């Protein structure tokens, strides 16, 4: 049992993510644990991204999870000295 799980959703289709969250996370996550994933679903079009977000929320609810979305700021890599060279 894990107290936290992070899943990077590189998959061929949405079914792989849905199967993971409904079949595996529920069995691997200890009670009160947290899990998260990178939501890159439909990232090339805003409308697709928004629709996938709602679909994921519904599937998570059906699997017994509450959903909280968190937007993370990405640093400006042009200004970072780390990425030069």
């Amino acid at each position: 049992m894990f107290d936290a799980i992070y899943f990077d959703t590189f998959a061929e289709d949405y079914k792989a993510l849905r199967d993971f969250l409904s079949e595996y996370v529920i069995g691997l996550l200890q009670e009160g644990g947290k899990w998260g994933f990178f939501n890159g679903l439909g990232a090339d079009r805003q409308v697709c991204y928004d629709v996938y977000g709602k679909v994921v929320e519904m599937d998570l609810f059906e699997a017994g999870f509450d959903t909280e979305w968190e937007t993370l700021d990405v640093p400006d890599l042009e200004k970072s000295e780390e990425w030069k060279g």
Side-chain angles (χ1 to χ4, degrees), residues 71-77:
T71 301
L72 302 176
D73 292 327
V74 176
D76 184 351
L77 298 179

Side-chain angles (χ1 to χ4, degrees), residues 4 17-18 34 57:
L17 174 62
R18 188 183 67 230
K34 295 189 180 248
E57 282 184 36

Side-chain angles (χ1 to χ4, degrees), residues 15-84:
K15 184 182 180 309
L17 174 62
R18 188 183 67 230
D19 289 347
F20 180 75
L21 68 90
S22 63
E23 300 296 327
Y24 298 103
V25 171
I26 204 85
L28 293 170
L29 194 62
Q30 70 184 21
E31 187 175 334
K34 295 189 180 248
W35 80 280
F37 64 96
F38 170 75
N39 182 20
L41 300 164
D44 60 338
R45 283 180 238 131
Q46 186 66 49
V47 69
C48 292
Y49 182 83
D50 294 341
V51 168
Y52 268 120
K54 293 298 181 191
V55 169
V56 169
E57 282 184 36
M58 289 186 293
D59 287 338
L60 286 169
F61 181 78
E62 188 175 296
F65 293 103
D66 293 324
T67 304
E68 289 181 32
W69 295 104
E70 184 176 334
T71 301
L72 302 176
D73 292 327
V74 176
D76 184 351
L77 298 179
E78 296 288 325
K79 294 180 181 177
S80 173
E81 293 295 320
E82 274 186 60
W83 295 95
K84 291 188 179 178

